[in-house]
């Protein structure tokens, strides 16, 4: 997920839809070729894309389906993503991500990186569940007024 203000607008929209613990909240595609991805989803689904600058100088893309946000596109450029396959990453809303991650680890999950906060978006954990699938859990930030 992008840093700082990149998802704040979309978080406000998502927060307007009531979220509940244990439900999917956000989806993003991790890719190395955002232009190919935008061309594909634009041609096949009619999505349009808005760029948002990230703190590291990169660009996060918000995908829109008409006047609704469809998800995000995260460009994997950092060396930490070497060997990470391209694919969709889903984020589940949870009531208390810190407490839930403890339970997840006790149940066999693995924390992929330390929990982190995205201002105006929420607190996020990236996990692999016992079967190996990656999943993001997040406690969404309160909607900005």
């Amino acid at each position: 997920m992008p840093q700082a203000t990149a998802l704040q607008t979309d978080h406000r929209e998502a927060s307007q839809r009531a979220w509940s613990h244990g439900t999917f909240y956000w989806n993003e595609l991790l890719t190395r070729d955002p232009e190919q991805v935008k061309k594909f989803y634009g041609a096949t689904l009619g999505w349009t894309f808005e760029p948002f600058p990230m703190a590291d100088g990169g660009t996060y893309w918000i995908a829109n389906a008409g006047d609704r946000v469809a998800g995000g596109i995260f460009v994997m450029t950092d060396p930490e993503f070497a060997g990470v396959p391209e694919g969709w990453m889903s984020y589940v809303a949870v009531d208390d991500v810190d407490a839930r991650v403890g339970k997840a680890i006790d149940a066999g999950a693995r924390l992929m990186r330390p929990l982190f906060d995205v201002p105006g978006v929420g607190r996020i954990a990236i996990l692999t569940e016992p079967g190996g699938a990656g999943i993001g859990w997040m406690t969404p930030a309160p909607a900005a007024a």
Side-chain angles (χ1 to χ4, degrees):
M1 285 197 126
Q3 297 297 314
T5 61
L7 284 182
Q8 289 174 356
T9 300
D10 304 299
H11 169 71
R12 283 191 292 273
E13 180 181 310
S15 293
Q16 290 169 1
R17 302 183 310 259
W19 67 269
S20 60
H21 170 77
T23 61
F24 285 97
Y25 184 79
W26 183 252
N27 293 293
E28 70 185 8
L29 178 60
L30 287 77
T31 185
R32 290 179 179 80
D33 190 345
E35 295 309 312
Q36 179 183 37
V37 166
K38 292 187 307 180
K39 182 177 177 182
F40 173 77
Y41 285 102
T44 60
L45 299 179
W47 285 359
T48 58
F49 304 91
E50 295 177 54
F52 284 94
M54 291 178 41
D56 67 2
T59 301
Y60 188 88
W61 295 91
I62 301 299
N64 296 296
D67 62 353
R68 303 211 51 177
V69 174
I73 298 173
F74 178 84
V75 184
M76 298 186 293
T77 56
D78 292 340
E80 70 181 308
F81 295 105
V84 174
E86 295 191 20
W88 283 96
M89 177 72 165
S90 296
Y91 294 83
V92 174
V94 297
D95 53 5
D96 180 344
V97 72
D98 291 273
R100 296 292 173 175
V101 164
K103 289 181 177 196
I105 290 170
D106 290 346
R110 187 167 62 97
L111 188 61
M112 298 299 297
R113 61 179 284 195
L115 277 78
F116 60 99
D117 296 289
V118 177
V121 174
R123 184 154 174 79
I124 300 170
I126 307 296
L127 304 158
T128 55
E129 45 96 317
I135 187 72
W137 286 3
M138 68 182 293
T139 299

